[in-house]
Amino acid sequence: MTATRILVTGGAGFIGSHYVRTLLGPHGPAGVRITVLDKLTYAGNPANLDPVRAHPGFRLVQGDVCDAAVVDRLVAEHDQIVHFAAESHVDRSILGGAEFVRTNVGGTQVLLDAALRHHGRGRGVFVQVSTDEVYGSIPYGSWPETHPLSPSSPYAASKAAADLVALAHHRTHGLDVRVTRCSNNYGHHHFPEKLIPLFITRLLEGRTVPLYGDGLNVRDWLHIDDHVQGIELVRTKGRPGEVYNIGGGTELTNRELVSLLLEACGAGWESVEYVADRKGHDRRYSVDCAKITLELGYEPRKDFATGLAETVSWYRENRDWWEPLRQRAELGQAVR
Ligand code: NAD
Ligand code: DAU
Protein backbone atom coordinates (compact mmCIF):
# COMPACT_ATOMS: atom_id res chain seq x y z
CA MET A 1 0.00 0.00 0.00
CA THR A 2 1.39 3.44 -0.87
CA ALA A 3 1.38 5.90 1.99
CA THR A 4 -0.72 9.07 1.88
CA ARG A 5 1.69 11.95 2.46
CA ILE A 6 -0.02 14.79 4.30
CA LEU A 7 1.41 18.26 4.78
CA VAL A 8 -0.04 19.67 8.01
CA THR A 9 0.49 23.41 8.42
CA GLY A 10 0.34 24.82 11.95
CA GLY A 11 0.78 21.30 13.33
CA ALA A 12 2.61 22.51 16.45
CA GLY A 13 -0.42 24.49 17.65
CA PHE A 14 -3.37 23.41 19.78
CA ILE A 15 -5.62 21.68 17.23
CA GLY A 16 -3.01 20.86 14.58
CA SER A 17 -0.84 18.99 17.07
CA HIS A 18 -3.83 16.97 18.27
CA TYR A 19 -4.61 16.11 14.67
CA VAL A 20 -1.03 14.87 14.13
CA ARG A 21 -0.88 12.95 17.42
CA THR A 22 -4.20 11.29 16.57
CA LEU A 23 -3.33 10.29 13.01
CA LEU A 24 0.08 8.93 13.99
CA GLY A 25 -1.20 7.37 17.23
CA PRO A 26 -2.22 3.75 17.82
CA HIS A 27 -5.77 4.29 16.50
CA GLY A 28 -4.82 6.42 13.50
CA PRO A 29 -5.32 5.35 9.88
CA ALA A 30 -2.73 3.03 8.35
CA GLY A 31 -0.21 4.26 5.80
CA VAL A 32 -0.15 7.96 6.66
CA ARG A 33 3.03 10.03 6.63
CA ILE A 34 2.93 13.58 8.00
CA THR A 35 5.16 16.61 7.61
CA VAL A 36 4.34 19.51 9.89
CA LEU A 37 5.17 22.97 8.54
CA ASP A 38 5.07 25.43 11.42
CA LYS A 39 6.66 28.82 12.00
CA LEU A 40 6.66 28.15 15.76
CA THR A 41 5.17 31.51 16.66
CA TYR A 42 4.30 32.24 20.30
CA ALA A 43 1.42 29.74 19.87
CA GLY A 44 3.46 26.95 18.29
CA ASN A 45 5.14 24.53 20.65
CA PRO A 46 7.35 21.67 19.42
CA ALA A 47 6.78 19.88 22.75
CA ASN A 48 3.19 19.30 21.59
CA LEU A 49 4.64 16.88 19.05
CA ASP A 50 6.90 14.94 21.44
CA PRO A 51 4.62 11.85 21.46
CA VAL A 52 5.09 11.37 17.68
CA ARG A 53 8.67 12.61 17.27
CA ALA A 54 10.07 9.08 16.94
CA HIS A 55 7.37 7.91 14.52
CA PRO A 56 9.01 6.96 11.20
CA GLY A 57 6.26 8.76 9.26
CA PHE A 58 6.73 12.09 11.07
CA ARG A 59 8.78 15.17 10.21
CA LEU A 60 8.73 18.74 11.55
CA VAL A 61 9.88 21.62 9.36
CA GLN A 62 10.14 25.03 10.98
CA GLY A 63 9.01 27.50 8.34
CA ASP A 64 6.48 30.12 7.30
CA VAL A 65 3.45 29.36 5.14
CA CYS A 66 4.14 32.71 3.46
CA ASP A 67 7.57 31.49 2.28
CA ALA A 68 6.83 30.43 -1.31
CA ALA A 69 10.07 28.49 -1.79
CA VAL A 70 9.66 26.33 1.31
CA VAL A 71 5.98 25.77 0.60
CA ASP A 72 6.60 24.85 -3.03
CA ARG A 73 9.21 22.25 -2.09
CA LEU A 74 7.00 20.68 0.57
CA VAL A 75 3.77 20.66 -1.43
CA ALA A 76 5.61 18.92 -4.27
CA GLU A 77 6.51 16.09 -1.87
CA HIS A 78 2.98 15.58 -0.52
CA ASP A 79 -0.39 14.31 -1.74
CA GLN A 80 -2.66 16.30 0.55
CA ILE A 81 -2.64 19.48 2.64
CA VAL A 82 -4.48 20.07 5.91
CA HIS A 83 -4.12 23.76 6.60
CA PHE A 84 -4.33 24.82 10.26
CA ALA A 85 -1.61 27.50 10.34
CA ALA A 86 -3.07 30.83 11.39
CA GLU A 87 -2.97 33.65 13.84
CA SER A 88 -5.93 32.49 15.90
CA HIS A 89 -6.63 34.85 18.83
CA VAL A 90 -9.40 37.43 18.39
CA ASP A 91 -8.02 39.80 21.07
CA ARG A 92 -4.63 39.98 19.36
CA SER A 93 -6.34 40.77 16.03
CA ILE A 94 -8.05 43.73 17.70
CA LEU A 95 -4.65 45.17 18.59
CA GLY A 96 -3.46 44.78 14.99
CA GLY A 97 -4.79 42.90 11.99
CA ALA A 98 -1.72 42.97 9.72
CA GLU A 99 -0.18 39.68 10.85
CA PHE A 100 -3.62 38.05 10.57
CA VAL A 101 -4.01 39.12 6.95
CA ARG A 102 -0.41 38.18 6.14
CA THR A 103 -0.55 34.65 7.56
CA ASN A 104 -4.23 33.74 7.27
CA VAL A 105 -4.88 35.19 3.82
CA GLY A 106 -1.40 35.52 2.28
CA GLY A 107 -0.20 32.16 3.60
CA THR A 108 -3.31 30.41 2.26
CA GLN A 109 -2.71 31.96 -1.17
CA VAL A 110 0.90 30.72 -1.17
CA LEU A 111 -0.28 27.18 -0.36
CA LEU A 112 -2.99 27.32 -3.03
CA ASP A 113 -0.49 28.48 -5.67
CA ALA A 114 1.77 25.54 -4.82
CA ALA A 115 -1.18 23.11 -4.77
CA LEU A 116 -2.17 24.30 -8.24
CA ARG A 117 1.35 23.71 -9.53
CA HIS A 118 1.80 20.27 -7.99
CA HIS A 119 -1.68 18.83 -7.46
CA GLY A 120 -3.90 20.71 -9.89
CA ARG A 121 -7.36 19.70 -11.05
CA GLY A 122 -8.77 16.52 -9.54
CA ARG A 123 -5.60 15.54 -7.66
CA GLY A 124 -4.59 16.16 -4.08
CA VAL A 125 -6.89 17.34 -1.31
CA PHE A 126 -6.67 20.77 0.33
CA VAL A 127 -8.53 20.99 3.64
CA GLN A 128 -8.93 24.60 4.74
CA VAL A 129 -9.55 24.52 8.50
CA SER A 130 -11.75 27.49 9.21
CA THR A 131 -14.11 28.78 11.87
CA ASP A 132 -17.76 29.47 12.64
CA GLU A 133 -16.71 33.09 13.32
CA VAL A 134 -16.77 33.81 9.57
CA TYR A 135 -20.60 33.91 9.70
CA GLY A 136 -20.69 36.64 12.38
CA SER A 137 -23.04 36.72 15.36
CA ILE A 138 -26.44 34.98 15.27
CA PRO A 139 -29.08 35.79 17.96
CA TYR A 140 -31.08 32.55 17.53
CA GLY A 141 -31.10 29.51 15.23
CA SER A 142 -27.98 28.11 13.56
CA TRP A 143 -26.06 28.95 10.40
CA PRO A 144 -26.08 26.51 7.50
CA GLU A 145 -22.98 26.50 5.27
CA THR A 146 -24.86 28.63 2.71
CA HIS A 147 -25.26 31.56 5.11
CA PRO A 148 -23.56 34.74 3.84
CA LEU A 149 -20.30 35.56 5.60
CA SER A 150 -20.37 38.56 7.95
CA PRO A 151 -17.23 38.44 10.12
CA SER A 152 -16.82 40.93 12.98
CA SER A 153 -13.17 40.79 14.11
CA PRO A 154 -10.06 41.23 11.96
CA TYR A 155 -9.27 37.58 12.79
CA ALA A 156 -12.65 36.36 11.53
CA ALA A 157 -12.43 38.59 8.45
CA SER A 158 -9.02 37.14 7.56
CA LYS A 159 -10.39 33.60 7.87
CA ALA A 160 -13.44 34.50 5.75
CA ALA A 161 -11.16 35.96 3.09
CA ALA A 162 -9.01 32.82 3.11
CA ASP A 163 -12.09 30.59 2.76
CA LEU A 164 -13.33 32.54 -0.23
CA VAL A 165 -9.92 32.56 -1.93
CA ALA A 166 -9.62 28.79 -1.37
CA LEU A 167 -13.12 28.10 -2.72
CA ALA A 168 -12.39 30.33 -5.73
CA HIS A 169 -9.47 28.04 -6.56
CA HIS A 170 -11.92 25.16 -6.71
CA ARG A 171 -14.39 27.01 -8.92
CA THR A 172 -11.77 28.52 -11.22
CA HIS A 173 -9.13 25.80 -11.39
CA GLY A 174 -10.92 22.66 -10.18
CA LEU A 175 -8.57 22.32 -7.18
CA ASP A 176 -9.95 19.86 -4.62
CA VAL A 177 -10.56 22.34 -1.80
CA ARG A 178 -12.73 21.37 1.19
CA VAL A 179 -13.51 23.89 3.94
CA THR A 180 -14.38 23.04 7.55
CA ARG A 181 -15.96 25.61 9.87
CA CYS A 182 -15.97 24.55 13.49
CA SER A 183 -17.11 26.02 16.76
CA ASN A 184 -14.99 26.77 19.87
CA ASN A 185 -12.54 23.95 20.54
CA TYR A 186 -11.46 22.91 24.02
CA GLY A 187 -9.12 20.28 25.45
CA HIS A 188 -5.51 19.75 26.55
CA HIS A 189 -2.50 21.65 25.05
CA HIS A 190 -4.69 24.77 24.52
CA PHE A 191 -2.56 27.90 24.68
CA PRO A 192 -3.48 29.73 27.92
CA GLU A 193 -4.71 32.94 26.29
CA LYS A 194 -8.14 31.55 25.29
CA LEU A 195 -10.97 31.54 27.81
CA ILE A 196 -10.92 27.93 29.06
CA PRO A 197 -7.15 27.42 29.51
CA LEU A 198 -6.63 31.03 30.69
CA PHE A 199 -9.27 30.69 33.38
CA ILE A 200 -8.18 27.21 34.50
CA THR A 201 -4.52 28.19 34.82
CA ARG A 202 -5.28 31.45 36.65
CA LEU A 203 -7.68 29.71 39.04
CA LEU A 204 -5.12 26.97 39.74
CA GLU A 205 -2.70 29.74 40.69
CA GLY A 206 -5.30 31.28 43.03
CA ARG A 207 -5.70 34.36 40.81
CA THR A 208 -8.81 36.17 39.53
CA VAL A 209 -10.24 35.69 36.04
CA PRO A 210 -11.42 38.49 33.68
CA LEU A 211 -14.96 37.99 32.35
CA TYR A 212 -15.77 40.33 29.46
CA GLY A 213 -18.91 42.49 29.46
CA ASP A 214 -22.01 40.92 30.99
CA GLY A 215 -20.70 37.37 30.46
CA LEU A 216 -23.79 36.40 28.48
CA ASN A 217 -22.06 35.72 25.17
CA VAL A 218 -22.78 32.20 23.96
CA ARG A 219 -20.32 29.73 22.47
CA ASP A 220 -20.77 26.12 21.30
CA TRP A 221 -17.98 23.95 22.77
CA LEU A 222 -16.36 21.25 20.67
CA HIS A 223 -13.82 18.80 22.09
CA ILE A 224 -10.62 18.46 20.01
CA ASP A 225 -11.24 14.70 19.57
CA ASP A 226 -14.53 15.49 17.85
CA HIS A 227 -12.99 18.24 15.76
CA VAL A 228 -10.31 15.81 14.54
CA GLN A 229 -13.03 13.25 13.81
CA GLY A 230 -14.86 15.87 11.67
CA ILE A 231 -11.72 16.96 9.79
CA GLU A 232 -10.86 13.33 9.02
CA LEU A 233 -14.35 12.66 7.66
CA VAL A 234 -14.02 15.69 5.39
CA ARG A 235 -10.47 14.81 4.29
CA THR A 236 -11.32 11.21 3.48
CA LYS A 237 -14.98 11.33 2.41
CA GLY A 238 -15.89 14.98 1.80
CA ARG A 239 -16.66 16.44 -1.61
CA PRO A 240 -14.45 18.92 -3.49
CA GLY A 241 -15.57 22.54 -3.31
CA GLU A 242 -17.84 21.93 -0.31
CA VAL A 243 -18.01 23.61 3.10
CA TYR A 244 -18.78 21.54 6.21
CA ASN A 245 -19.76 22.98 9.60
CA ILE A 246 -18.52 21.06 12.67
CA GLY A 247 -20.13 21.73 16.05
CA GLY A 248 -19.89 20.30 19.54
CA GLY A 249 -23.55 20.53 20.58
CA THR A 250 -22.89 22.22 23.95
CA GLU A 251 -24.00 25.85 23.94
CA LEU A 252 -23.21 27.78 27.08
CA THR A 253 -23.12 31.42 28.11
CA ASN A 254 -19.70 32.44 29.36
CA ARG A 255 -21.22 32.79 32.84
CA GLU A 256 -22.48 29.20 32.75
CA LEU A 257 -19.07 28.00 31.59
CA VAL A 258 -17.25 30.03 34.24
CA SER A 259 -19.49 28.58 36.90
CA LEU A 260 -18.40 25.06 35.85
CA LEU A 261 -14.74 26.11 35.77
CA LEU A 262 -14.94 27.67 39.24
CA GLU A 263 -16.43 24.47 40.63
CA ALA A 264 -13.85 22.26 38.90
CA CYS A 265 -10.99 24.42 40.23
CA GLY A 266 -12.41 24.80 43.74
CA ALA A 267 -12.95 28.58 43.50
CA GLY A 268 -15.94 30.89 44.01
CA TRP A 269 -17.48 33.87 42.19
CA GLU A 270 -15.24 36.24 44.23
CA SER A 271 -12.47 35.07 41.84
CA VAL A 272 -14.32 36.59 38.86
CA GLU A 273 -13.66 40.17 37.78
CA TYR A 274 -16.16 41.69 35.36
CA VAL A 275 -14.02 43.73 32.98
CA ALA A 276 -14.69 45.96 29.95
CA ASP A 277 -16.12 44.12 26.98
CA ARG A 278 -14.12 42.97 23.96
CA LYS A 279 -14.56 45.43 21.06
CA GLY A 280 -17.04 44.13 18.46
CA HIS A 281 -17.73 41.13 20.71
CA ASP A 282 -19.93 38.59 18.89
CA ARG A 283 -22.90 37.65 21.06
CA ARG A 284 -23.53 34.12 19.89
CA TYR A 285 -22.21 31.55 17.44
CA SER A 286 -24.10 28.44 16.39
CA VAL A 287 -23.45 26.13 13.46
CA ASP A 288 -26.01 23.87 11.80
CA CYS A 289 -24.24 20.50 11.45
CA ALA A 290 -26.92 18.68 9.43
CA LYS A 291 -24.73 18.48 6.32
CA ILE A 292 -21.71 16.74 7.86
CA THR A 293 -24.01 14.55 9.97
CA LEU A 294 -26.19 13.31 7.11
CA GLU A 295 -23.53 13.21 4.42
CA LEU A 296 -20.47 11.96 6.34
CA GLY A 297 -21.91 10.46 9.55
CA TYR A 298 -20.34 13.00 11.93
CA GLU A 299 -21.51 12.94 15.53
CA PRO A 300 -19.82 14.60 18.50
CA ARG A 301 -18.96 11.84 20.98
CA LYS A 302 -17.32 13.62 23.90
CA ASP A 303 -19.74 14.51 26.67
CA PHE A 304 -18.94 18.08 27.79
CA ALA A 305 -18.85 17.38 31.54
CA THR A 306 -16.35 14.57 31.00
CA GLY A 307 -14.29 16.58 28.50
CA LEU A 308 -14.10 19.59 30.80
CA ALA A 309 -13.15 17.49 33.85
CA GLU A 310 -10.38 15.79 31.82
CA THR A 311 -9.16 19.17 30.59
CA VAL A 312 -8.97 20.62 34.11
CA SER A 313 -7.12 17.51 35.31
CA TRP A 314 -4.64 17.82 32.43
CA TYR A 315 -3.79 21.42 33.41
CA ARG A 316 -3.48 20.39 37.08
CA GLU A 317 -1.04 17.63 36.13
CA ASN A 318 0.96 19.48 33.45
CA ARG A 319 2.08 22.72 35.05
CA ASP A 320 5.48 22.29 33.42
CA TRP A 321 3.73 22.67 30.03
CA TRP A 322 1.85 25.89 30.77
CA GLU A 323 3.85 27.74 33.44
CA PRO A 324 6.58 28.81 30.97
CA LEU A 325 3.86 30.10 28.60
CA ARG A 326 2.18 32.42 31.09
CA GLN A 327 4.05 35.56 30.09
CA ARG A 328 3.25 35.18 26.40
CA ALA A 329 -0.37 34.40 27.26
CA GLU A 330 -0.75 37.50 29.40
CA LEU A 331 0.38 39.56 26.41
CA GLY A 332 -2.76 38.38 24.63
CA GLN A 333 -4.72 39.67 27.62
CA ALA A 334 -2.98 43.02 27.69
CA VAL A 335 -4.17 43.88 24.20
CA ARG A 336 -7.91 43.76 24.93
P1 NAD B 1 -3.02 27.97 17.53
O1 NAD B 1 -2.85 29.44 17.62
O2 NAD B 1 -2.95 27.13 18.75
O3 NAD B 1 -1.93 27.36 16.51
C1 NAD B 1 -1.60 27.99 15.30
C2 NAD B 1 -0.32 27.34 14.79
O4 NAD B 1 0.00 27.96 13.53
C3 NAD B 1 0.87 27.55 15.71
O5 NAD B 1 1.59 26.34 15.84
C4 NAD B 1 1.71 28.59 14.99
O6 NAD B 1 3.10 28.49 15.25
C5 NAD B 1 1.39 28.28 13.54
N1 NAD B 1 1.60 29.43 12.65
C6 NAD B 1 1.17 30.70 12.83
N2 NAD B 1 1.59 31.47 11.81
C7 NAD B 1 2.27 30.67 10.96
C8 NAD B 1 2.93 30.88 9.73
N3 NAD B 1 2.99 32.09 9.17
N4 NAD B 1 3.52 29.84 9.12
C9 NAD B 1 3.48 28.59 9.69
N5 NAD B 1 2.90 28.34 10.86
C10 NAD B 1 2.29 29.36 11.49
O7 NAD B 1 -4.41 27.76 16.76
P2 NAD B 1 -5.49 26.61 16.90
O8 NAD B 1 -6.44 26.99 17.96
O9 NAD B 1 -4.82 25.30 16.95
O10 NAD B 1 -6.25 26.78 15.51
C11 NAD B 1 -5.83 26.05 14.36
C12 NAD B 1 -6.74 26.43 13.21
O11 NAD B 1 -8.10 26.16 13.54
C13 NAD B 1 -6.68 27.92 12.84
O12 NAD B 1 -6.74 28.02 11.44
C14 NAD B 1 -7.94 28.50 13.47
O13 NAD B 1 -8.41 29.61 12.73
C15 NAD B 1 -8.89 27.32 13.37
N6 NAD B 1 -9.95 27.30 14.41
C16 NAD B 1 -9.64 27.27 15.73
C17 NAD B 1 -10.68 27.18 16.68
C18 NAD B 1 -10.42 27.13 18.16
O14 NAD B 1 -11.39 27.11 18.93
N7 NAD B 1 -9.18 27.11 18.63
C19 NAD B 1 -11.97 27.13 16.26
C20 NAD B 1 -12.25 27.21 14.90
C21 NAD B 1 -11.22 27.25 13.99
O1 DAU C 1 -15.59 30.08 17.36
C1 DAU C 1 -14.35 29.59 16.96
C2 DAU C 1 -13.26 30.50 17.48
O2 DAU C 1 -13.18 30.25 18.87
C3 DAU C 1 -11.92 30.28 16.81
O3 DAU C 1 -12.01 30.59 15.44
C4 DAU C 1 -10.83 31.13 17.48
O4 DAU C 1 -9.57 30.82 16.93
C5 DAU C 1 -10.84 30.83 18.96
O5 DAU C 1 -9.91 31.67 19.60
C6 DAU C 1 -12.22 31.03 19.56
O6 DAU C 1 -12.59 32.42 19.53
P1 DAU C 1 -13.39 33.10 20.76
O7 DAU C 1 -13.17 34.55 20.70
O8 DAU C 1 -14.80 32.62 20.83
O9 DAU C 1 -12.59 32.40 21.97
P2 DAU C 1 -11.97 33.00 23.31
O10 DAU C 1 -11.52 31.84 24.13
O11 DAU C 1 -11.00 34.10 23.06
O12 DAU C 1 -13.26 33.65 24.02
C7 DAU C 1 -14.39 32.85 24.33
C8 DAU C 1 -15.43 33.76 24.98
O13 DAU C 1 -14.93 34.17 26.26
C9 DAU C 1 -15.70 35.04 24.22
O14 DAU C 1 -17.07 35.38 24.36
C10 DAU C 1 -14.83 36.08 24.90
C11 DAU C 1 -14.82 35.61 26.35
N1 DAU C 1 -13.58 35.87 27.10
C12 DAU C 1 -12.39 35.52 26.55
C13 DAU C 1 -11.21 35.75 27.21
C14 DAU C 1 -9.88 35.37 26.58
C15 DAU C 1 -13.66 36.45 28.37
O15 DAU C 1 -14.76 36.75 28.89
N2 DAU C 1 -12.48 36.68 29.04
C16 DAU C 1 -11.25 36.37 28.51
O16 DAU C 1 -10.21 36.63 29.17
Side-chain angles (χ1 to χ4, degrees), residues 153-226:
S153 70
Y155 159 70
S158 70
K159 294 294 291 187
D163 286 12
L164 295 179
V165 170
L167 289 167
H169 282 66
H170 169 72
R171 282 214 201 151
T172 305
H173 301 291
L175 199 66
D176 184 344
V177 168
R178 308 168 188 192
V179 176
T180 60
R181 293 187 181 141
C182 70
S183 58
N184 282 60
N185 284 224
Y186 75 101
H188 47 87
H189 294 90
H190 201 180
F191 191 79
E193 65 185 350
K194 311 282 167 62
L195 183 140
I196 289 185
L198 177 78
F199 280 31
I200 294 172
T201 53
R202 287 180 70 118
L203 291 170
L204 292 180
E205 289 177 311
R207 298 168 68 194
T208 59
V209 292
L211 186 55
Y212 297 168
D214 61 9
L216 292 178
N217 305 72
V218 174
R219 296 292 183 269
D220 166 32
W221 294 97
L222 168 68
H223 191 270
I224 44 173
D225 285 352
D226 286 322

Side-chain angles (χ1 to χ4, degrees), residues 15 87-91 130-133 155 159 182-185 190 193-199 209-213 215 217-221 254 257-258 275 277-278 281-283 285 333 336:
I15 307 169
E87 288 294 333
S88 69
H89 192 38
V90 171
D91 289 334
S130 188
T131 170
D132 60 4
E133 297 203 10
Y155 159 70
K159 294 294 291 187
C182 70
S183 58
N184 282 60
N185 284 224
H190 201 180
E193 65 185 350
K194 311 282 167 62
L195 183 140
I196 289 185
L198 177 78
F199 280 31
V209 292
L211 186 55
Y212 297 168
N217 305 72
V218 174
R219 296 292 183 269
D220 166 32
W221 294 97
N254 290 339
L257 174 61
V258 169
V275 299
D277 208 354
R278 172 185 277 174
H281 196 174
D282 282 332
R283 196 64 168 166
Y285 301 136
Q333 275 297 299
R336 186 176 44 79

Side-chain angles (χ1 to χ4, degrees), residues 47-206:
N48 294 351
L49 295 165
D50 282 350
V52 294
R53 202 164 292 279
H55 191 290
F58 171 76
R59 181 162 62 124
L60 169 63
V61 175
Q62 181 171 5
D64 190 334
V65 286
C66 301
D67 182 336
V70 171
V71 167
D72 187 77
R73 179 170 54 79
L74 289 174
V75 170
E77 295 168 0
H78 292 81
D79 310 302
Q80 303 187 343
I81 300 166
V82 182
H83 179 32
F84 293 93
E87 288 294 333
S88 69
H89 192 38
V90 171
D91 289 334
R92 288 181 192 257
S93 82
I94 294 168
L95 183 71
E99 198 56 26
F100 288 72
V101 172
R102 194 190 86 90
T103 290
N104 301 2
V105 188
T108 303
Q109 180 65 60
V110 169
L111 282 159
L112 289 164
D113 284 341
L116 268 187
R117 275 192 297 276
H118 300 291
H119 299 163
R121 182 180 287 273
R123 286 184 299 124
V125 171
F126 187 115
V127 181
Q128 158 73 3
V129 179
S130 188
T131 170
D132 60 4
E133 297 203 10
V134 297
Y135 299 115
S137 195
I138 187 169
Y140 50 84
S142 303
W143 306 288
E145 289 82 354
T146 48
H147 196 275
L149 306 190
S150 181
S152 303
S153 70
Y155 159 70
S158 70
K159 294 294 291 187
D163 286 12
L164 295 179
V165 170
L167 289 167
H169 282 66
H170 169 72
R171 282 214 201 151
T172 305
H173 301 291
L175 199 66
D176 184 344
V177 168
R178 308 168 188 192
V179 176
T180 60
R181 293 187 181 141
C182 70
S183 58
N184 282 60
N185 284 224
Y186 75 101
H188 47 87
H189 294 90
H190 201 180
F191 191 79
E193 65 185 350
K194 311 282 167 62
L195 183 140
I196 289 185
L198 177 78
F199 280 31
I200 294 172
T201 53
R202 287 180 70 118
L203 291 170
L204 292 180
E205 289 177 311

